Amino acid sequence: MIYLDYNATTPLEPRVKEEIIKTFEEFGNPSSSHKFGKKAKEIIESARVKVAKLIDAEPEEIIFTSGATESNNLAIFGRTLCFNGGHIITSSIEHPSVVNPCKQLARMGYDVTFLPVNSQGMVDPDDVKKAIKKDTILVTIMHSNNETGVIQPVKEIAEMLAEKEIPFHTDCAQSIGKVRVSVRELPVTMLSIAGHKFYAPKGIGALFLRKDFFIKPLLFGASHEKGLRPGTENTPYIAGVGKAAEIIYEEFDEISKHLLEVTEPLLKGLLEISNAKLNGAGSPRLPNTLNISIKGILADEFVERLSQKVAISAGSACHAGVRKPSYVLLSMGLSEQEALSSIRISTGKFTTFQEVINALEIIKQELNKIYCASTNS
Ligand code: PLP
């Protein structure tokens, strides 16, 4: 079985697993002042340093959460609920964990602008600038898209917004571990991280919250995580995401080189298929993500046909299961039919060249079967 769905989630890195198992021994409550508590606290603070280092942040700017969904909600509601209304700018290609908080804010009476993207899947920074109103209280635009891998012009947007002192949040769930991200070079106010996209377990993530920027908590309890994420910390998973961040930091050059080395031949092979088209071509893209439309297939059926041999995705895994064309691809101007015939293939650091060759062979065989069946019928 070949796994090519790393954007859905990544396997657990063995060294991260080891770290987590080791940390299960440290059962103390990090808030306790005795030796057991102090040890757990130490582990959490060490993980915070590692996550911060990965994105060039300061440790105090890292809030541990359960993942990017929670980080996105905390950033969006935490900021906007400081006001009784106001204007929010986002894009039409965000993950549901940004789209739905924004829709909820619209239902609550906030004014929300959903910006379009061009045919290459990119938001235009000029559109962001033009959309700003006197009462714009937040802009949230993703760092890279989960379906197409298109990297958004967040640096340009962040710099423009920093000048105007408008807070900017970016959902960075898909970029960490694939491209370098520095919150010093990228003057964002808040940035969401998901551990399970870079070889840590599901259910752990972080929000980068720039020093001195105030947001409201969504949960009320004790003072954990600066009062923004109350509840006794999940010490083993926090240690795990710290270890995952450390590995990415130390091995980044090797990992990114590897991603290109396995993804480029895959793209080349896929484009040899007649009627195949890369979505987002021409835009800067993550080195591991391919979104391909193949005329004559129904992506969800095709994914199912492959499912015992090669794991890929039709649209994004989070909303698979329902045959609805991807709103991301529709926003890029693809027809409904093109969107329904688009597959996402995403590689990772454990993908081997041989797996890529084998996957290409299997994909081509299955396509031939579909084409033969349709010409015979
Ligand atoms: N944002 C993006 C861009 C994603 O791809 C995902 C997961 O697929 C999420 C947010 C949600 O992350 P989590 O599963 O950690 O809540």
Side-chain angles (χ1 to χ4, degrees):
M1 183 74 194
I2 303 166
Y3 187 74
L4 294 176
D5 201 13
Y6 278 74
N7 281 15
T9 195
T10 55
L12 192 59
E13 148 77 50
R15 287 170 287 174
V16 171
K17 186 174 171 186
E18 216 174 276
E19 185 77 17
I20 292 170
I21 292 170
K22 194 175 80 191
T23 310
F24 273 122
E25 300 299 321
E26 304 298 341
F27 68 92
N29 185 324
S31 300
S32 303
S33 54
H34 47 63
K35 199 173 156 202
F36 297 94
K38 281 195 176 119
K39 180 67 197 162
K41 179 89 182 146
E42 217 174 85
I43 291 169
I44 291 175
E45 294 318 313
S46 156
R48 203 185 304 282
V49 169
K50 291 171 187 166
V51 173
K53 192 169 173 188
L54 179 63
I55 57 166
D56 236 351
E58 292 182 27
E60 65 192 279
E61 295 177 312
I62 301 298
I63 310 288
F64 287 116
T65 65
S66 65
T69 298
E70 186 185 330
S71 298
N72 289 340
N73 274 267
L74 180 57
I76 294 169
F77 288 114
R79 165 66 180 170
T80 52
L81 295 184
C82 292
F83 303 86
N84 272 330
H87 177 232
I88 298 121
I89 301 172
T90 188
S91 83
S92 53
I93 57 159
E94 300 295 314
H95 186 268
S97 57
V98 167
V99 173
N100 288 326
C102 288
K103 285 188 176 166
Q104 177 61 17
L105 285 167
R107 283 190 287 271
M108 289 162 68
Y110 289 75
D111 174 16
V112 184
T113 302
F114 287 90
L115 294 176
V117 291
N118 66 14
S119 59
Q120 272 119 47
M122 289 250 278
V123 172
D124 183 344
D126 248 12
D127 285 347
V128 179
K129 200 170 178 180
K130 283 184 210 141
I132 294 171
K133 298 183 184 176
K134 272 205 185 87
D135 65 342
T136 302
I137 50 175
L138 179 69
V139 177
T140 174
I141 309 271
M142 69 199 326
H143 194 278
S144 61
N145 183 266
N146 41 305
E147 293 187 37
T148 61
V150 171
I151 300 171
Q152 300 302 315
V154 275
K155 188 170 181 348
E156 224 176 312
I157 296 169
E159 283 170 354
M160 183 267 293
L161 292 171
E163 235 170 69
K164 297 182 187 295
E165 295 184 11
I166 297 173
F168 180 38
H169 164 252
T170 190
D171 175 359
C172 206
Q174 289 293 345
S175 296
I176 301 287
K178 298 168 190 160
V179 289
R180 272 195 205 283
V181 176
S182 161
V183 294
R184 298 291 156 230
E185 283 170 24
L186 195 71
V188 293
T189 322
M190 296 178 281
L191 178 146
S192 299
I193 298 175
H196 74 106
K197 310 288 186 186
F198 60 100
Y199 313 96
K202 291 125 195 77
I204 185 72
L207 176 69
F208 158 79
L209 177 67
R210 192 167 287 280
K211 225 176 2 184
D212 303 329
F213 188 74
F214 177 81
I215 58 170
K216 277 191 170 173
L218 306 185
L219 298 175
F220 293 83
S223 60
H224 311 90
E225 301 298 302
K226 295 181 168 172
L228 287 171
R229 215 298 181 142
T232 305
E233 298 89 337
N234 186 345
T235 312
Y237 275 29
I238 290 176
V241 79
K243 185 70 187 173
E246 181 182 62
I247 294 171
I248 295 289
Y249 183 82
E250 284 173 359
E251 299 173 7
F252 183 80
D253 290 344
E254 207 179 302
I255 295 169
S256 60
K257 186 166 160 264
H258 179 76
L259 292 180
L260 279 176
E261 277 170 6
V262 289
T263 311
E264 276 178 359
L266 192 53
L267 175 61
K268 192 164 169 276
L270 288 167
L271 292 181
E272 279 164 11
I273 298 166
S274 56
N275 295 327
K277 184 189 112 203
L278 175 70
N279 296 314
S283 288
R285 287 183 305 105
L286 294 175
N288 79 317
T289 309
L290 301 174
N291 192 299
I292 309 262
S293 298
I294 305 173
K295 243 188 214 158
I297 65 159
L298 271 171
D300 59 342
E301 281 183 12
F302 190 62
V303 167
E304 183 57 33
R305 283 178 86 109
L306 292 180
S307 66
Q308 295 305 312
K309 295 177 191 156
V310 187
I312 61 165
S313 153
S316 143
C318 303
H319 16 103
V322 190
R323 187 177 287 161
K324 251 172 101 179
S326 145
Y327 60 83
V328 172
L329 298 179
L330 293 182
S331 301
M332 291 164 66
L334 269 74
S335 68
E336 204 161 292
Q337 203 171 15
E338 281 173 318
L340 286 172
S341 70
S342 301
I343 54 172
R344 180 188 70 184
I345 306 185
S346 46
T347 61
K349 69 173 183 172
F350 299 124
T351 306
T352 64
F353 183 70
Q354 193 54 52
E355 281 182 317
V356 164
I357 302 299
N358 295 348
L360 273 172
E361 189 59 35
I362 295 165
I363 289 171
K364 287 179 182 172
Q365 273 170 13
E366 287 304 323
L367 282 172
N368 274 338
K369 284 186 208 162
I370 295 173
Y371 294 149
C372 287
S374 67
T375 46
N376 289 340
S377 61

